[in-house]
Amino acid sequence: MQAKIEQLKQKIEQAVLTVTSSKTLHEVKTLFLGRTGEVSDLMKGMRDVPKEERPQVGKIINDLRVWTEQKFDELEIKIKKAELEQRYKAEAIDVTMPGKKGEVGAYHPNTLIRNELISIFSGMGFEIFEGPEIENDYYNFTALNTPADHPARDMQDTFYITEDLLLRTQTSAGQIRVMEKKAPPIKILSPGKVYRSDDDATHSPMFSQMEGLVVDKGITLCDLKGMLDEFAKKIFGENIKTRLRPSYFPFTEPSVEVDVSCFECDGKGCRLCKGTGWIEVLGAGMVNRHVLEGCGVDPDKYSGFAFGMGIERIAMLKYGINNMKLLFEGDTRFLKQFKD
Ligand code: PHE
């Protein structure tokens, strides 16, 4: 028995020398200490040892088991340490190497303008309202004083989904949704995408608008003009002036077209303003009393103004972009030029 044990010990010593990694350590350890390993087998063999010899043989075998376990424990510590050192070496970073340059993204010019507009108007106390892009005829037209067969429907070429559902042609639809839900005072700003069957260098079938609506007691055209003056200075520069020209929208009365003095030539006349010194930037007006009435707002008690502008148009003017397509193509060489 003693000889057998010695032999096994030697075999273990030999086997231990072949271990080079945690993986082989586990394999070799199983050969001896596993459920069917050689040391375990010896212990199972105790059954056949005569009763009187059992305590003595049991002790020898148990000593062997403790010795073997200790051997492997020591080996494990050594191997783990070596492996860790190797990992540290492999993962070492040379802090003196030049770093990789990360590309920094930029906001899309539309987003820049939208954020700027939101910041200007929220500074004046406007709250944001976002309406749905799929609207029904009522909100997009009828409630905006544009019933079926009204000639003003031709002002906007509409994408219909069904007879009643359409892609909204204007964020003005949001005016109705807000006035239906909320009693005055109302002061909302409504950015969003709108759709029209229109496509050339300055028009796109999908574009973005920013709508504003103010309803309260005693609101006048002067309030609109004052607010627009402030807005124009903030977005185009301190020297900018505004002027109102009569226009027509079914849902405002009176309606105006708003021009700003040309920021390129300071109003002297240049290519951008086509020699006029003025640039048209938005449509606006006093909310038509029929519209107020239809939303349950008493037009004898309350009045309001509304305005709507194209975000792409403002971006094109402000950044000198001559083709609207550039704003939709996603060419990073173009987009990279607009950093905050
Ligand atoms: N909805 C109008 C358009 O798309 C703009 C507008 C908004 C005009 C609000 C007056 C008041 O052309």
Side-chain angles (χ1 to χ4, degrees), residues 12 37 42-43 124 151 163 202 324:
I12 291 170
L42 272 183
M43 298 181 74
M124 300 182 191
E163 199 148 313
T202 51
M324 199 186 254

Short mmCIF file of all heavy atoms in Angstrom, two decimals, residues 12 37 42-43 124 151 163 202 324:
data_model
loop_
_atom_site.label_atom_id
_atom_site.label_comp_id
_atom_site.label_asym_id
_atom_site.label_seq_id
_atom_site.Cartn_x
_atom_site.Cartn_y
_atom_site.Cartn_z
N ILE A 12 1.74 12.26 -9.35
CA ILE A 12 1.13 13.59 -9.18
C ILE A 12 2.19 14.68 -9.37
O ILE A 12 1.95 15.67 -10.09
CB ILE A 12 0.46 13.70 -7.79
CG1 ILE A 12 -0.77 12.79 -7.73
CG2 ILE A 12 0.06 15.16 -7.49
CD1 ILE A 12 -1.39 12.62 -6.36
N GLY A 37 -11.33 10.13 -10.09
CA GLY A 37 -9.89 10.31 -10.10
C GLY A 37 -9.17 9.23 -9.29
O GLY A 37 -9.80 8.49 -8.52
N LEU A 42 -8.85 5.31 -4.71
CA LEU A 42 -8.22 4.67 -3.53
C LEU A 42 -9.18 4.70 -2.35
O LEU A 42 -9.32 3.72 -1.61
CB LEU A 42 -6.94 5.41 -3.13
CG LEU A 42 -5.63 4.99 -3.82
CD1 LEU A 42 -4.49 5.81 -3.24
CD2 LEU A 42 -5.37 3.50 -3.60
N MET A 43 -9.82 5.82 -2.19
CA MET A 43 -10.74 5.95 -1.05
C MET A 43 -11.91 4.99 -1.19
O MET A 43 -12.35 4.40 -0.23
CB MET A 43 -11.22 7.39 -0.94
CG MET A 43 -10.04 8.31 -0.68
SD MET A 43 -10.41 10.03 -0.49
CE MET A 43 -11.14 10.14 1.09
N MET A 124 -40.11 84.42 -23.85
CA MET A 124 -41.25 85.36 -23.80
C MET A 124 -42.46 84.71 -23.14
O MET A 124 -43.56 85.26 -23.16
CB MET A 124 -41.64 85.78 -25.22
CG MET A 124 -40.55 86.48 -26.01
SD MET A 124 -41.23 86.94 -27.62
CE MET A 124 -39.75 87.42 -28.50
N PRO A 151 -61.96 78.48 -51.71
CA PRO A 151 -60.84 78.59 -52.68
C PRO A 151 -59.47 78.54 -52.00
O PRO A 151 -58.49 78.11 -52.63
CB PRO A 151 -61.08 79.95 -53.35
CG PRO A 151 -62.16 80.62 -52.58
CD PRO A 151 -62.91 79.60 -51.81
N GLU A 163 -60.70 60.24 -47.37
CA GLU A 163 -61.43 61.45 -47.66
C GLU A 163 -61.31 62.45 -46.51
O GLU A 163 -61.29 63.66 -46.71
CB GLU A 163 -62.91 61.09 -47.90
CG GLU A 163 -63.63 62.18 -48.64
CD GLU A 163 -64.71 61.60 -49.52
OE1 GLU A 163 -64.44 60.63 -50.25
OE2 GLU A 163 -65.83 62.11 -49.45
N THR A 202 -36.88 75.71 -53.47
CA THR A 202 -37.24 76.33 -52.19
C THR A 202 -38.47 75.68 -51.55
O THR A 202 -39.00 76.18 -50.57
CB THR A 202 -37.52 77.86 -52.36
OG1 THR A 202 -38.45 78.02 -53.44
CG2 THR A 202 -36.24 78.61 -52.69
N MET A 324 -32.98 74.06 -50.88
CA MET A 324 -33.58 73.38 -49.73
C MET A 324 -33.21 71.90 -49.67
O MET A 324 -33.16 71.31 -48.60
CB MET A 324 -35.10 73.53 -49.79
CG MET A 324 -35.76 73.27 -48.45
SD MET A 324 -37.52 73.27 -48.58
CE MET A 324 -37.91 74.82 -47.83
#
